[in-house]
Amino acid sequence: MAGLAASGSNPDVDLLYDINGLAKDAPVWFDRVMEYVGEYGILLATVLLVLWCWLSVRKRGGEEAPSSVAALVWAPLAAGVAVLVNVPIRGFVERPRPFLQHEGLEVLVSGKTDYSFVSDHATITMAMAVGLFVANRKFGFFGIGLALLEGFCRVYMGVHYPTDVIGGFALGTAVALLLSPLAMALLTPLMKAIERSPRAGWLIRARGKSYDGQDSLIPGARKETGAEERDLAA
């Protein structure tokens, strides 16, 4: 199956040249930025987004905190599982990198010798984004936006076909969603046990937060009457 998209007349290759052609017209400094962003920056930004969501969840507290944190723990685990699933897929398809089959591409990252289908970067970012969406829709939308940008960058850099990216998005989404019920069934009780721990409970709820998300009150303190916004954790 190594001949997939080998012809320059098919839409996959045409779109590859269209997107990668932007790199030829861009200033050198912009290509260097895209190289860093596509190789490392978006992965790091996605991890930071998960950490930001975790801080928000534990600060809010409430009864849904353990399930939300469980979903956040599942996000990077889903990415890892998806990459492992991709190993036999790559070996079966055996699709060479586009720059090995097509001339005239502007390749921003050298040393890529593994197979092209599917894109690990697209798989990882989308799996984490979908896992993040399960925990919190607002953060999840940002994560999906980062994943889409990652896919664009991989084609812009000349190291993947568009269908490599689409395949990565599909694989990451499938793993994150299909295995989510099992993951949540295993991780949620664990997070609840951690929440009850005197030493590790801060990982689930910020100190001073009650189970309904309200600040713990000292004797004689005035209780707030406004209800806090509920988390969007699924």
Side-chain angles (χ1 to χ4, degrees):
M1 301 184 68
L4 185 64
S7 171
S9 63
N10 74 60
D12 193 21
V13 177
D14 291 342
L15 187 57
L16 165 67
Y17 275 106
D18 288 341
I19 296 177
N20 181 254
L22 299 174
K24 292 185 177 182
D25 300 330
V28 175
W29 66 265
F30 185 80
D31 284 348
R32 298 287 78 81
V33 170
M34 291 293 286
E35 175 187 346
Y36 177 82
V37 169
E39 194 73 7
Y40 308 107
I42 294 178
L43 292 176
L44 177 60
T46 304
V47 171
L48 293 177
L49 189 63
V50 172
L51 291 176
W52 185 9
C53 185
W54 167 68
L55 291 174
S56 175
V57 166
R58 66 181 293 273
K59 181 179 180 181
R60 184 177 296 120
E63 295 180 357
E64 296 179 346
S67 61
S68 296
V69 175
L72 292 174
V73 172
W74 169 235
L77 291 179
V81 172
V83 169
L84 291 178
V85 173
N86 189 28
V87 172
I89 294 177
R90 280 193 168 191
F92 175 73
V93 177
E94 295 184 344
R95 186 186 203 181
R97 294 280 181 170
F99 54 80
L100 297 177
Q101 291 192 314
H102 305 284
E103 298 179 353
L105 292 174
E106 187 77 9
V107 183
L108 302 186
V109 180
S110 60
K112 298 290 184 180
T113 58
D114 55 342
Y115 293 123
S116 184
F117 186 89
V118 296
S119 167
D120 277 339
H121 282 71
T123 300
I124 291 171
T125 52
M126 186 56 76
M128 292 186 67
V130 173
L132 186 59
F133 186 83
V134 172
N136 186 291
R137 286 170 175 76
K138 179 177 69 175
F139 283 92
F141 279 124
F142 281 108
I144 292 173
L146 287 175
L148 295 175
L149 179 59
E150 178 68 273
F152 176 83
C153 288
R154 301 308 288 177
V155 181
Y156 181 96
M157 294 160 62
V159 295
H160 280 293
Y161 294 97
T163 48
D164 296 338
V165 169
I166 294 172
F169 289 161
L171 177 59
T173 300
V175 169
L177 288 182
L178 294 179
L179 297 182
S180 177
L182 175 61
M184 294 298 291
L186 296 174
L187 291 173
T188 300
L190 176 61
M191 295 304 108
K192 289 181 178 180
I194 293 176
E195 183 184 33
R196 292 191 295 268
S197 171
R199 295 184 178 181
W202 63 271
L203 292 170
I204 311 301
R205 288 186 300 109
R207 298 188 186 280
K209 284 291 181 180
S210 63
Y211 286 92
D212 61 0
Q214 300 293 328
D215 293 330
S216 297
L217 302 175
I218 59 174
R222 182 179 178 181
K223 184 175 181 179
E224 298 291 338
T225 58
E228 294 188 5
E229 179 185 359
R230 292 178 61 84
D231 190 14
L232 293 175

